Amino acid sequence: MAISLRIQVALTLVCLGAAACQTTPELKGSDTQTINGSLDRLNPTDVAVAPVRYGATGVSAPAGMLRRAAQIGLTRCRYSPLALSLVDESVDAASASVADAAAIQGNVLEASYAAGDLGEDAVLEITVHSWDSRFWNARRRLDVVVEARMIDPADPFGPPLWAGRLDKTVDASDVRGFDS
């Protein structure tokens, strides 16, 4: 089962990664839509891969594998991704601070990774809107809707530096090496 999840993640990120490596992509096909912001102007080096978000309740995907695959893709695109453990420690520290504040105030608050906490040049956010692997074992087919955004930590709510959305049925039934 772990091998098939790796393959699923790899296929998804290969499609997103192909678009992400190009700052001014000229993509053929309609399955990946991209937005080019000011990525060239900022020219980031160190990129933090934020924890995966889910766009709807009940959506499930191999988040850890997606993040690791994103790191590999960023490296291939000549970026320097920060260690996931470093980003996760930042999230854990924020969670502890939020939990302390919530206890004092009597509220429940949710902590997450805050852009810029680690001095990174950019943050890659991955949002999984849909991940349907029902037909993976029988047909080697995966239906996904995944969005990736590279944001400027100095302006996390501003326009993205780059964004890509993959809405695709990935069919690996005719690709060699995906028999396991």
Side-chain angles (χ1 to χ4, degrees):
M1 183 72 174
I3 292 173
S4 67
L5 283 176
R6 286 189 180 125
I7 293 167
Q8 293 173 27
V9 171
L11 286 171
T12 302
L13 287 174
V14 162
C15 293
L16 275 175
C21 285
Q22 303 173 16
T23 56
T24 55
E26 204 173 282
L27 297 174
K28 296 178 172 115
S30 60
D31 54 358
T32 304
Q33 301 89 31
T34 60
I35 299 170
N36 290 306
S38 53
L39 188 62
D40 288 337
R41 177 189 54 78
L42 184 64
N43 196 19
T45 302
D46 296 327
V47 179
V49 180
V52 172
R53 298 179 185 178
Y54 295 100
T57 306
V59 174
S60 178
M65 288 184 196
L66 278 170
R67 288 180 75 203
R68 284 190 297 278
Q71 273 191 311
I72 293 167
L74 286 168
T75 303
R76 288 182 180 155
C77 293
R78 308 276 192 251
Y79 295 104
S80 298
L82 300 180
L84 294 179
S85 59
L86 185 63
V87 176
D88 292 342
E89 286 173 16
S90 175
V91 171
D92 292 343
S95 296
S97 298
V98 168
D100 291 343
I104 292 169
Q105 297 175 357
N107 296 328
V108 176
L109 303 172
E110 184 177 326
S112 63
Y113 172 75
D117 280 356
L118 301 171
E120 68 277 13
D121 300 324
V123 178
L124 179 66
E125 297 177 334
I126 301 169
T127 305
V128 178
H129 296 284
S130 169
W131 189 278
D132 185 357
S133 59
R134 289 182 285 188
F135 301 111
W136 181 255
N137 290 332
R139 298 185 188 150
R140 294 294 189 244
R141 193 178 89 199
L142 179 68
D143 296 313
V144 299
V145 179
V146 179
E147 183 178 358
R149 295 173 6 114
M150 182 113 40
I151 62 167
D152 182 352
D155 187 14
F157 299 108
L161 301 171
W162 175 90
R165 182 178 176 94
L166 178 68
D167 186 346
K168 183 175 176 121
T169 298
V170 179
D171 185 359
S173 61
D174 58 348
V175 179
R176 291 180 189 227
F178 290 137
D179 298 334
S180 50

